[in-house]
Amino acid sequence: MTEIELLEQSIRLHSRLYDKGTPLITDGEYDELVRKRHRLLGGDAAQPVAPAVVGAPVPAGSPKVAHPAVMLSLNNASDLLERAEAWHAIVRRTKDAEGYADLKIDGMALRLEYQDGALTGAATRGDGAIGENVFENALRIVDVPRKLRQEVSGRISVVGEAYIPNSHFILLNNDREQAGEEPYTSPRNTAAGGMRHSDPEEVATRGIRFFAYGLLHSDRPRGFSYHSEVMVWLAAMGFKVVEHGIGGLRTESDVEGAFSALLERSQDVGYDCDGVVVKLDNLAAREILGSGRTAPNWAFACKFAAKAERTRLNHVYFSVGRTGAVTPVGEVQPVVIGDVTVSRLTLHNKDIIDELDLRIGDSILVKRAGDVIPAVAEVFTDERTGDERRIEFPSVCPACASKLARPENEARICCRNTLLCPEQLQRGLEHFVGQDYMAVRGMGPALIRQLIAQGLVK
Ligand SMILES: [Zn+2]
């Protein structure tokens, strides 16, 4: 396969996963794939494999909203050299350029609309021009003010990121595991899924929060000269604004210094960040630089090195949850990713395995999505030797041999032998004795297993 073909295969895969609401890479990474293909084709992308848009179009049937100004994506600078180049491209065309660096939160971009100080609308980025109407859901985010703290006449659009704090994400997944449900893949996907969920209460359940990072549009002049002024104003209006911003960047080494400082900060802010955004602080100078088709010329994203490593899928087994869900679990050649050793990971369900075209023996890229849960981000199909084996799904329960069923419209398969399946009993009892109010001392998983084996628990 040529590099172009591989790239197109990857673009199609990630586009499909995005449409299904289970993306494995960020919008920025997706954009980068599309741009890389564009570059390889020598700028001739007349027949795009994927829509040449910023994000992904709003699915048919979802309520749409046109943005008052395009919600742009960002160009990426992936290493020291590219950061220096990107900064020089800005400085070259502006006098007295001052940069402002912010943490780039890995969540879902939202636009909030205020009319005379009252929240009147909310939309996802969608393809940049048209987003999905998520007003009802945005009303459930505790950080989103329904009314601005001061009177603001006219119409403004505030942009920012909906996200889930890591501590809450871990609690959510503990609850799901206890309930025998498939864990969420990452804070970002869970935030994105919650914002687009048909039940707005999911936003509160998932603990979705919001940071504002700019003013996209205003129907009249507000007298701001600098982005840093806008941030102070947004905070005064009642928004939580992206923390730890560093202004006054003038030289290449200032930009490098801010990048390093923010990389260090990102380790303990308690939410996922996938990089740093460097932008021109002077708003008039931004006008002069203007924007390209998908990204502004006055800002760029510096990505943090992805927490991903190559390894090999050695074996797949199927685990039975408390409620009977049978989940494929992959055993990989142990690999250290961001100071955690990963030796097994959930493969979720058959649909995702099919999308990835994953086989036993494949070389894979494992990413610790959301810093928490390892997931297969890529399968190196071009490295196959022919010895790889397809992942066969069992037709009977690996624990009790009763026939497995696939609930309608669901990707998971289930053991319905609720009362007698030893694994369901095991998980159920672990859950039961795990509750604080039970406080059954000395009743660990090993003892439970023994009791079930001896037929003492039914
Ligand atoms: Zn069973």
Side-chain angles (χ1 to χ4, degrees):
M1 238 191 251
T2 67
E3 194 176 356
I4 286 273
E5 283 168 342
L6 276 172
L7 209 51
E8 293 185 341
Q9 183 184 322
S10 178
I11 290 169
R12 278 193 297 270
L13 162 70
H14 291 297
S15 170
R16 281 199 302 274
L17 288 172
Y18 183 94
D19 289 344
K20 288 188 165 186
T22 55
L24 288 170
I25 59 176
T26 65
D27 289 355
E29 286 166 335
Y30 178 81
D31 294 344
E32 192 49 43
L33 289 177
V34 173
R35 273 194 280 271
K36 193 168 168 199
R37 172 179 177 271
H38 193 81
R39 278 199 300 275
L40 284 173
L41 289 172
D44 174 26
Q47 290 175 322
V49 280
V53 292
V54 181
V58 176
S62 303
K64 292 172 187 159
V65 185
H67 297 305
V70 180
M71 284 180 79
L72 293 164
S73 167
L74 289 168
N75 288 321
N76 281 313
S78 49
D79 56 23
L80 194 130
L81 191 69
E82 287 188 13
R83 287 195 287 274
E85 273 176 9
W87 177 245
H88 281 296
I90 291 176
V91 178
R92 247 200 323 270
R93 296 172 54 195
T94 36
K95 268 205 325 265
D96 302 324
E98 268 200 13
Y100 186 93
D102 258 340
L103 278 173
K104 187 168 177 291
I105 299 166
D106 194 11
M108 181 189 229
L110 286 186
R111 178 181 66 84
L112 304 174
E113 190 163 287
Y114 289 84
Q115 179 72 48
D116 296 326
L119 181 65
T120 53
T124 66
R125 191 174 66 161
D127 66 5
I130 293 173
E132 188 172 340
N133 182 349
V134 292
F135 182 50
E136 286 300 320
N137 296 44
L139 288 171
R140 266 73 172 184
I141 304 178
V142 289
D143 299 324
V144 169
R146 289 173 177 229
K147 237 181 153 28
L148 301 180
R149 278 199 196 137
Q150 293 165 28
E151 257 177 50
V152 179
S153 56
R155 200 161 68 111
I156 60 166
S157 276
V158 174
V159 279
E161 202 85 356
Y163 70 99
I164 295 176
N166 288 339
S167 57
H168 192 80
F169 181 73
I170 290 166
L171 289 180
L172 277 176
N173 265 350
N174 282 345
D175 286 352
R176 286 181 75 82
E177 256 166 64
Q178 297 261 310
E181 290 166 314
E182 197 184 297
Y184 289 126
T185 53
S186 73
R188 171 172 57 94
N189 294 350
T190 312
M195 283 315 299
R196 300 173 59 198
H197 205 281
S198 56
D199 177 9
E201 289 308 324
E202 273 295 306
V203 171
T205 309
R206 297 184 187 200
I208 298 176
R209 310 292 299 264
F210 181 81
F211 272 127
Y213 55 63
L215 201 53
L216 177 77
H217 177 261
S218 168
D219 65 352
R220 62 198 67 178
R222 306 280 168 191
F224 298 121
S225 301
Y226 294 94
H227 168 74
S228 38
E229 285 174 9
V230 174
M231 298 301 277
V232 171
W233 183 76
L234 286 172
M237 288 301 127
F239 289 96
K240 288 192 73 179
V241 296
V242 174
E243 305 158 303
H244 315 301
I246 300 174
L249 313 178
R250 292 193 156 268
T251 65
E252 202 177 297
S253 69
D254 288 347
V255 171
E256 249 351 271
F259 178 75
S260 306
L262 289 171
L263 172 59
E264 203 177 315
R265 278 331 289 262
S266 73
Q267 311 294 323
D268 44 43
V269 288
Y271 44 83
D272 277 355
C273 300
D274 55 355
V276 168
V277 184
V278 176
K279 37 196 158 187
L280 200 55
D281 202 6
N282 186 321
L283 301 179
R286 286 186 182 183
E287 293 295 320
I288 297 168
L289 265 70
S291 294
R293 198 172 47 86
T294 60
N297 296 325
W298 42 261
F300 56 94
C302 318
K303 293 198 299 175
F304 295 148
K307 285 184 180 164
E309 293 293 338
R310 286 178 68 113
T311 183
R312 183 174 177 277
L313 180 64
N314 287 334
H315 177 66
V316 173
Y317 68 91
F318 292 83
S319 89
V320 185
R322 176 164 67 89
T323 56
V326 176
T327 310
V329 180
E331 286 182 349
V332 299
Q333 206 66 42
V335 62
V336 177
I337 308 176
D339 64 32
V340 169
T341 302
V342 175
S343 55
R344 61 175 65 110
L345 42 88
T346 175
L347 302 177
H348 300 288
N349 57 51
K350 190 165 189 325
D351 287 358
I352 287 185
I353 289 174
D354 287 349
E355 281 293 350
L356 288 163
D357 186 23
L358 178 63
R359 296 179 197 177
I360 296 163
D362 269 337
S363 288
I364 54 175
L365 186 72
V366 173
K367 202 164 145 181
R368 266 180 64 210
D371 249 9
V372 190
I373 295 183
V376 180
E378 198 173 343
V379 178
F380 300 105
T381 50
D382 54 325
E383 292 177 19
R384 283 190 179 148
T385 61
D387 292 336
E388 295 75 18
R389 285 177 296 119
R390 290 192 179 278
I391 297 165
E392 299 292 345
F393 272 68
S395 55
V396 298
C397 175
C400 70
S402 65
K403 202 167 179 315
L404 295 177
R406 181 169 175 166
E408 211 176 323
N409 297 325
E410 283 189 42
R412 66 196 178 106
I413 45 174
C414 290
C415 166
R416 289 267 164 79
N417 187 11
T418 318
L419 294 175
L420 293 171
C421 178
E423 277 300 306
Q424 289 190 52
L425 273 178
Q426 172 87 21
R427 303 274 164 258
L429 274 171
E430 279 174 22
H431 174 66
F432 190 53
V433 302
Q435 305 287 336
D436 284 344
Y437 57 82
M438 274 297 297
V440 181
R441 299 183 70 188
M443 190 85 167
L447 178 58
I448 295 172
R449 201 168 287 282
Q450 225 176 335
L451 292 174
I452 291 173
Q454 292 170 5
L456 295 175
V457 178
K458 274 185 191 150

